[in-house]
Amino acid sequence: MISSLSFINQKGEILIYRVYKDDISRSEITQFCAKMIATKENKESPIINIDQTSFIHISIKDIIILATTKTDVNVAMVLEFLYQLSKICKSYFQGILDENCIKKSFVLIYEILDEVLDYGIPQIADPNLLQKFIQEGGMQQEATISIDKFRSLTGTITGAVSWRPPGLHYDKNELYLDIIESVNLLISAKDTVLRAEVVGSIELKSKLTGMPECQIGMNDKLLMGKQARMTKQNGGIVIDDMKFHPCVGLPKFEKDRTITFIPPDGHFQLMSYRISENINIPFKVNVFYSEISENKLEIRLKIKSIYDKNVYGTNIAVKVPVPKNTVNVVSATGLGKAKHEIEEQSVIWRIKKLQGDVETSLRCEISLGATNRDQTWSKPPLKMEFQIPMFTSSGFRVRFLKVMEKGAYKTNKWIRYLTRGGDYLHRL
Amino acid sequence: MAYFGNNPQRGELQELYADLNDLNFEKKKEAVKKVIAYMTVGKDVSDLFQSVIKCLEFNDIEMKKLIYLYIVNYSRQKPDDAIMVIQNFRKDVRKSENPLVRALAIRTFGCLRVPKLNEYLIEPLKDCIQDDDPYVRKTAVLCVPKVYEVSPEICPPLLELLQKLLEKESNALVLANLIQSMREIEVVSGKQIINLNQKIIQKLLLAVDECIEWGQIFILDYLASYNPQDSKQAEVIIERTLPRLSHINPTVTFCAVKVILKYLDFLDNGDLVKNLCKKVAPSLISLLSWNQPEVQYTILRNISLILQKFPILFENEVKVFFCSFNEPYYIKYEKLDIMVRICDSKNFGQVLNELLIYLNEADPHFVRKAIKSIGKIAITYDKALDKAVSILVEFAKNVQQPTEPVQELLIQMQLIYKKNKSMYKHEDSLKFIYSIIEYANEPESKSACAWILGEFGEYIPKSAEKMKEYIDNFQMEDRLVQLQLLTSAVQLYLKYPSQCSILIQQLITSAKDSFNPDVRDRTYIYWRLLSTDPEIVKTLVCFNSGAVQNFSKDLRLWETQDLVLALENMGSISNLFHKLPHQLYKNIKIKINNQQDIKIYKGEEKQEKQENQAQVQQSENQQNNKQEQQQQQQDIDLLSFDDPPVNNINNNSNKANLFELI
């Protein structure tokens, strides 16, 4: 399995270095770091094999986490593990992972590394669980914690419900649900839809007492088809694929598509899903580029929101690509503001709020500087970012969420929907 | 941070030494931290060994962990000092009530990797394997391969214990670690350690539902290397694995895909196979758009394998592989590769339209690859030829610089003309290609240009002049270009004897003294033949259209007999590099082949038919080739000076090669 793990900064210096097997030397890693820093860029593949040694790395902002191995390991597992590790570190450092916090808390990181891998084999990588027994500055009340506590802890770690400790208590039981959809869209220059896909997720924040079992149901066509009463007008939607948090009972889902789970405490992603049929594309975009003269270009852009009138799109940003040699941009907008952003090589048109069923437009006159005319401008696609609360592009809806626990158990539930632009591209 | 960046000067070491031996606990702890910090940046602090391990007397877990880290790092350098720690470990294992401490001790003990210390380890390790606490057991189980690596001779009793545990263990996590640990030993020893029976398989399948994600991966990975006894068992295992397709960890999903695909071969029920394929496909597609590019990349690298064995999975799914604008290039390259493989006589239009867009990208390597892909499709699918050529011609029209894509364009056009000579008429393609000949600056593209000049001299204005330019620089050219120039110049001479006679003389003079024997030999042959009988030369240098082999064989990445083995290893490093494990790792034995026989005839029905067809086609091709070969045997004999000589002995397989040289 994994021979060693290192955290490396931008300069290629090793910040953390932990060996799990004896088959790698530090100099091999320093050499590799030097090489990687020299070549940089993401053209190189994340897995490099030199003389039977494999270097597998991911980059989290400025930090590179590198694993090495000399055996024929499962690469996807190593990569996924590295990502989990970065999440663990972030959970300890308030969401940030940078050189500073690594240097400041290196003792803690070594402690984590000791626990998450043994002999290079991934072990516990659940941040919530780790925080139960690894803490900055050591376990505070170590002496006062009884041996029984430790025993119950190891029981939880190795048990079937490792994600939730027993004996939680809240005065008020609360559940917050967020359904977040990203629309990935690719439209050709001829205005045909090449790809439309929604990748969604259900984020849950649970503050529940005890060990409640929950069941969630949505307008999944396959499930609703079985329950004949729901067939009238809304037959449900086709979900291509769903992926669940470990807490969801997968065999049961496979059997009859019911989703039951004992939730972890706090915030977690319950599931993610992918839908490719009947996507409601939220915006219709028309763009025209026309060359007025040799050094003048005109762009006309029209956007129409095609969602319901009582729904509002927010923080809309349309990135309209312009040539490198753009000198000046004069723009007029129906709504919002447009600005030339040089480092993005585009005019970015921002609209704070856009009601459904509204059309608005942008007109830009672009002055081009003198340049080598031989170089033709390869137009990158136009990209859109947006957020539309209380709207789902796929039509996804949660129908119910039941919380089952003994006694008089009352739960307050809150639900929000949000659609945002993912890889939302129009080719020009 | 003061810990980092400084060298431990002698004074500093002394200071640390003093602090470590201080009576104040906090001071000691700070000092230990500093020692670890030095260790991290690669400074040698092994001299402090004794002072550091003295600090173990405190009952502080954080400190203990740090010291253990230190010991693990330096135990091999200081084996004699390390012995002193053993009592501490044994005490912890035997006496501590805290399972975390017991586990920590045994884990670290295993990491010492000093042969003579391992003897002391056996007894406490045995205790831990039988500990009441599953956390200790799961840790102890992983200690065995650590010991095995250093001192295999003392391990037999431990291995027995593991096998016993395999039979009676009920905790899912321990079981998963146990399987992984035994597999590690199998890799090191090359022997089979795990003895399976029905009951154990049942237990493993149950454990998949209960243990953490990594454990699920270990078990699924193991199951993928197991061969079920019959269709029934295969069905049970698949049924138990199916739910894993919905796990949020992409590796769990991918392993489940692997297990299911592998076991499909063993199923009798054709309908079931189809149904399963329908279930697997969407899961795989989700993984392909996974939001971590690195994970996406590893999956993509495995797709060509799946595609070759299970083409049904991606029927009508070519869109999944369209590149997105801001993806990293390593992903785009893979997708491009797959698009060519997935392209067929139905969807080629869609694929070509997409490739056309990529020609606008900024990265020249990527554009080059896109052009190569277009060329490949044109050569493989006759129906696609027209469209592909018009795309390439359109690209040629805008060329103004000797860029990388231009080189590829010339190379691909040469191949297309070779395959189908009449294509030069298509949309005046020759005219536009000829107009960019001056931008050729790589040996291969130059040789392609020389070939075009010789072959189509009569349709090209001033072809002799252009040829002269090349010949003027003959000495500077690469061997590949020189050889092609010789043939092409002779071709041109045969077409315009009067115009080119001076040219050919100039060429022969400069080539006959070449340092390269191939160039020299070819020059002499042509020289003599030309002076005796130019008609023979004609049959020699004039090219037969249609001789470029169908490239579809080229699109198949894996040898058919390797497919099953490769599938078992899906997701591994060797597979990532499109190799079998023993091809990448010298120490891995070639897997025994009796399995391979089973694979082929037990393969999925539909699949087998296709494969048979492919094989029939191949052999047909070969037969055709043989016939052609015999017709042209004479020509080839004349060329027997070309390298490598092997070509001529079994030339039916290397025909395309030969023609490039002609």
Side-chain angles (χ1 to χ4, degrees), chain A residues 83 110 115 241 244 378 423, chain B residues 40 135 149 246 286 294 324 360:
Chain A
Y83 271 107
Y110 275 123
E115 202 57 53
D241 188 34
F244 297 101
S378 61
D423 228 0
Chain B
T40 300
Y135 183 82
E149 210 179 78
S246 312
S286 292
E294 291 89 350
S324 183
N360 292 327

